């Protein structure tokens, strides 16, 4: 049985139809978006899954990765505001949100984003002093993120993070900074020591002032007591009572002898004492004692001894 031309055409048509169907069926993996171009013009975007296009009329334009991606920023030298040269590198994280814009609004997406990030790093960090640059890394990252994300927005890109990894000043500048830090720490230590010495001196002066005040107060109290005693004796003398005067003189005399005898710098004391004065004073003390015992009702009557007369210096008894 021979094959006719129709028998040959049918298999060929079936194979051709299958090829056309397979050509029009497109499978998009998860995390990607494909753009479709018809005669070179963008028509639609294929989402992840099974999609159909018109064979030989539509074709896949760009396969865009919609996942968050990492862009490594190479090391570059930056001149700060105070003319210090530092080497800086970083990293940027971005994500494509609009596949057609990322595919058709910019040529070479990663290269454009890399140059944009490097340029803004030089701009932002070049406007700062070295000390501010080293101490405000979080503020630098935030400012870079805001500037780069705003510039990349027309490309359908969302910059999620920009981080400065390393800031490396020259070796001589690092040594200068270390010496400056040590000098600053020494300065703070000297200031603290001076403050401590000042406080100690203030406390010591306040202690001396308090002690002087208390000594003066004690002397004032003693003077008041002495004045009071003198007033009492004066009033007693004015009333004709000489016993208080004898007691007062004997007490002062005894205290003076006690101070002279207890002095450590004297071994022998030569004093011109008149016996009559001393006997008279002691007689006054004995008279006071007799008066006390005579007025005491509980004691038994005793023979009163005659009071020795007061002998003044220069007189004979």
């Amino acid at each position: 049985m021979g094959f006719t031309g129709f028998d040959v055409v049918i298999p060929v048509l079936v194979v051709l139809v299958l090829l056309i169907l397979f050509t029009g069926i497109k499978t998009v993996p998860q995390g990607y978006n494909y753009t479709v171009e018809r005669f070179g013009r963008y028509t639609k975007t294929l989402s992840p899954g099974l999609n159909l296009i018109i064979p030989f009329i539509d074709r896949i334009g760009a396969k865009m990765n919609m996942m968050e991606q990492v862009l490594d920023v190479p090391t570059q030298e930056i001149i700060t505001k105070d003319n210090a040269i530092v080497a800086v590198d970083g990293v940027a994280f971005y994500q494509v949100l609009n596949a057609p814009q990322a595919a058709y609004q910019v040529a070479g997406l990663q290269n454009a984003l890399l140059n944009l990030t490097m340029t803004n790093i030089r701009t932002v960090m070049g406007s700062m002093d070295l000390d501010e640059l080293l101490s405000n890394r979080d503020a630098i990252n935030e400012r870079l993120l805001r500037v780069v994300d705003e510039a990349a927005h027309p490309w359908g890109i969302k910059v999620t993070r920009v981080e400065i990894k390393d800031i490396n000043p020259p070796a001589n500048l690092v040594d200068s900074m270390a010496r400056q830090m040590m000098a600053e720490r020494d300065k703070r230590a000297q200031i603290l020591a001076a403050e401590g010495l000042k406080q100690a001196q203030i406390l010591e002066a306040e202690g001396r002032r308090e002690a002087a005040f208390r000594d003066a107060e004690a002397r004032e109290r003693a003077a008041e007591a002495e004045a009071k005693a003198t007033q009492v004796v004066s009033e007693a003398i004015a009333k004709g009572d000489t016993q208080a005067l004898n007691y007062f003189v004997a007490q002062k005399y005894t205290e003076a002898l006690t101070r002279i005898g207890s002095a450590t710098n004297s071994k022998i004391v030569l004093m011109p004492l008149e016996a009559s004065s001393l006997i008279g004073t002691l007689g006054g003390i004995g008279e006071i004692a007799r008066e006390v015992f005579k007025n005491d009702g509980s004691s038994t009557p005793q023979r009163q001894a005659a009071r020795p007369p007061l002998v003044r210096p220069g007189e004979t008894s």
Side-chain angles (χ1 to χ4, degrees):
M1 180 178 178
F3 291 96
T4 61
F6 184 74
D7 295 333
V8 176
V9 170
I10 290 189
V12 173
L13 291 176
V14 172
V15 172
L16 184 59
V17 170
L18 292 176
L19 289 176
I20 292 173
L21 290 175
F22 279 111
T23 304
I25 297 174
K26 298 297 179 181
T27 302
V28 180
Q30 185 67 38
Y32 284 83
N33 280 352
Y34 292 174
T35 61
V36 178
E37 300 174 357
R38 181 172 297 173
F39 301 116
R41 180 183 178 184
Y42 167 77
T43 56
K44 65 179 180 179
T45 301
L46 302 181
S47 58
L50 186 63
N51 298 270
L52 296 176
I53 61 174
I54 301 175
F56 309 111
I57 298 177
D58 296 338
R59 69 180 185 88
I60 301 298
K63 299 179 179 180
M64 302 304 301
N65 187 349
M66 306 299 292
M67 295 179 288
E68 188 172 4
Q69 301 176 65
V70 180
L71 182 64
D72 189 22
V73 181
T75 303
Q76 58 178 336
E77 289 187 347
I78 296 173
I79 301 177
T80 62
K81 186 178 180 180
D82 51 352
N83 297 324
I85 300 177
V86 295
V88 180
D89 61 350
V91 61
F93 297 83
Y94 71 96
Q95 185 176 11
V96 177
L97 300 180
N98 192 311
Q101 289 182 351
Y104 302 111
Q105 294 293 330
V106 60
L109 177 62
Q110 285 195 350
N111 186 43
L113 192 59
L114 176 61
N115 284 276
L116 177 64
T117 305
M118 294 178 66
T119 302
N120 281 279
I121 287 177
R122 287 195 297 269
T123 302
V124 172
M125 301 182 70
S127 63
M128 305 173 67
D129 294 333
L130 180 60
D131 294 338
E132 187 180 4
L133 196 70
L134 296 175
S135 60
N136 295 327
R137 186 171 298 190
D138 292 338
I140 295 172
N141 294 335
E142 183 180 356
R143 185 176 174 184
L144 283 173
L145 176 61
R146 184 176 65 254
V147 173
V148 175
D149 181 56
E150 183 179 355
H153 181 71
W155 302 342
I157 302 297
K158 174 64 178 176
V159 180
T160 57
R161 184 176 299 177
V162 178
E163 297 285 345
I164 299 299
K165 291 194 297 185
D166 291 319
I167 301 176
N168 298 318
N172 57 352
L173 188 57
V174 173
D175 294 339
S176 299
M177 292 171 63
R179 290 195 298 270
Q180 180 183 0
M181 181 187 66
M182 292 298 298
E184 187 68 23
R185 291 181 181 274
D186 292 340
K187 175 183 176 181
R188 289 202 296 267
Q190 292 175 0
I191 291 175
L192 291 176
E195 287 290 339
L197 180 60
K198 175 183 176 182
Q199 190 67 23
Q201 291 176 350
I202 291 174
L203 292 176
E204 183 179 358
E206 290 180 352
R208 290 196 303 269
R209 184 183 67 177
E210 183 68 19
F213 176 76
R214 292 183 180 275
D215 290 341
E217 186 178 5
R219 289 194 299 270
E220 182 181 357
R221 296 289 179 83
E224 291 177 356
E226 185 72 17
K228 183 66 175 177
T230 304
Q231 181 182 1
V232 171
V233 173
S234 300
E235 292 176 354
I237 295 173
K239 294 178 181 180
D241 186 4
T242 60
Q243 295 179 0
L245 176 60
N246 292 332
Y247 175 77
F248 184 75
V249 172
Q251 182 184 12
K252 293 299 180 181
Y253 188 81
T254 305
E255 291 177 356
L257 289 177
T258 302
R259 287 194 297 268
I260 294 174
S262 62
T264 58
N265 58 350
S266 298
K267 299 302 182 181
I268 299 175
V269 179
L270 300 177
M271 299 177 57
L273 299 177
E274 296 182 358
S276 60
S277 298
L278 177 60
I279 295 172
T281 303
L282 296 178
I285 298 174
E287 182 65 24
I288 294 172
R290 284 194 295 273
E291 290 292 333
V292 171
F293 284 109
K294 184 176 71 173
N295 295 331
D296 188 0
S298 61
S299 60
T300 58
Q302 296 179 359
R303 185 173 58 88
Q304 295 184 353
R307 183 182 65 176
L310 294 175
V311 181
R312 296 180 180 178
E315 297 181 357
T316 58
S317 57

